Amino acid sequence: MKKMLISLVALAAMAMSSTAQGASACVDKAAFCVKVVGELVQAHVWNYAAKTGLVLGPNNLTGLITTLYNAMDVVSREQVGMIPAVSADMTFARAAVGQVVTSPVAPAATATDITPAVTPPNDGDQNIGNKSVTLTKARRVPIRWNGEEKLALDNSGNSYNIILRDQFAQAMRTLCNEVESDLTALHVKASRAYGTPGTAPFGIANDLGDTAGALRILEDNGAQGLDFQMVLGSAAMQNMRGKQSGLFNVEKAGREDMLRDGITDRLQGLALRQSAQIKRPAKGTAAGATTNANGYAFGATVITLAAAGTGSFVAGDVISIAGDPENKYVVSSGDASSADGGTITIAAPGLLQAIPAAATAITVANVAARNLFFARSAIVLATRVPALPAQGDSAADRTIITDPVSGLSFEVSMYMQYRQVQYEIALVWGVGSAKDEHIGILLG
């Protein structure tokens, strides 16, 4: 580009120096050459900006925008209920793996007695904490075509654009499902659980006890008045549609969305969503485990085990404690061998019933689906555009498209290679829990 610019500037200078024409002709040539030089400089700057990702360049993706959005129509039908349900920090800023996104967290308040005095008490200072989310993944899906492949498709009557559209759809579907999977994996951060392991929720006709139990946990944990979400797997959603006929009765529900279109809506303050990535993890192998004889008070989170039983506790295990039939606690930090004693940690707010000063049995719940309910603010998803060096890279062009359903924004880049072109769909993201107390598991 630089060589071309220098050559054309030289030609322009030669034209300007020509004495074959009159003065007015020279003025016209000078104006023409100045215009040529200006346009060449503008083209050079524009091309550089395109290579560094600042703007769409001359080899742009405009012709593929329709194909890309048609592809997103396919992706949008995926069941990715977690992504739109959580608190999102999504920007087009470039970032690399390892960057930390921080959210402030106010501590619990402390009340004091009111004592009349000349001046108010000298107190009220607080240490504001924070929850950070680290961008842990920078992922890409490549798509490559060469000229012979495209020509062969065109000659055989097949549509290159249709195949390319489907390839884009699969690429965005792959990234979208990876993000969704990372979010549903946060079941290990939940405070408590409700329901029966191995039995899908909402299986009893016209019984909404599962939503009532979920709401009780959130409200008991101090999440009143927040934007509540419930994300279900396919078995729970099947029961919801098949057993809870009252929700589909227009006279009772007041709307026909669920009856006519199968659209789920808010139920008892919970926004109902569905995800294909609901986890069903393996459980720890602990059996015959008990607490030691020290006793543990209401609110305790660290429990010491007696050297009894066999097997292990793992993060995400749902446990029950003898004498406390109402509560199912989630293990946030396990113990590799209950036979050796050690400790386990349960999520905040900890025990809702004190454990007596005697060996008390601890039972691990059977394998179950981890449907989730939570306040939107309790789970954070941060996404960014992949990092680029200051000098840019060899991409001929790049653009960003946003999925209107999941809200994810993908970067699409185009790399011109030797007699072939490679497209890249990419995203950087990280997930985290901002408030464990405001997350619960609905077992199924």
Side-chain angles (χ1 to χ4, degrees), residues 17-18 50 58 62 129 144 165 182 188 258 364 373 384 418 438:
S17 65
S18 173
T62 302
R144 185 159 63 189
R165 178 203 66 188
D182 286 350
V188 298
M258 294 190 75
V364 179
F373 55 90
R384 297 292 186 271
Y418 181 68
H438 295 175

Side-chain angles (χ1 to χ4, degrees), residues 289-296 303-308 321 355-362:
T290 70
T291 66
N292 64 7
N294 289 348
Y296 296 89
I303 299 171
T304 301
L305 304 174
I321 298 173
I355 298 176
T360 304
I362 301 176

Side-chain angles (χ1 to χ4, degrees), residues 226-296:
L226 300 180
D227 184 3
F228 293 155
Q229 308 284 317
M230 177 175 279
V231 182
L232 304 173
S234 58
M237 189 59 77
Q238 178 184 356
N239 281 345
M240 178 71 73
R241 291 167 176 157
K243 299 289 187 180
Q244 308 309 320
S245 60
L247 301 177
F248 298 85
N249 187 324
V250 179
E251 292 181 358
K252 294 181 179 180
R255 297 177 63 176
E256 62 180 12
D257 291 350
M258 294 190 75
L259 176 63
R260 305 299 181 195
D261 303 318
I263 297 172
T264 53
D265 205 339
R266 282 195 171 272
L267 177 63
Q268 295 183 345
L270 291 156
L272 298 179
R273 304 178 188 272
Q274 185 175 353
S275 174
Q277 301 297 324
I278 291 295
K279 298 291 186 287
R280 190 182 178 88
K283 70 183 187 71
T285 57
T290 70
T291 66
N292 64 7
N294 289 348
Y296 296 89

Side-chain angles (χ1 to χ4, degrees), residues 61-74:
L61 287 162
T62 302
L64 281 175
I65 293 298
T66 301
T67 299
L68 290 169
Y69 276 95
N70 284 339
M72 279 202 304
D73 286 340
V74 178

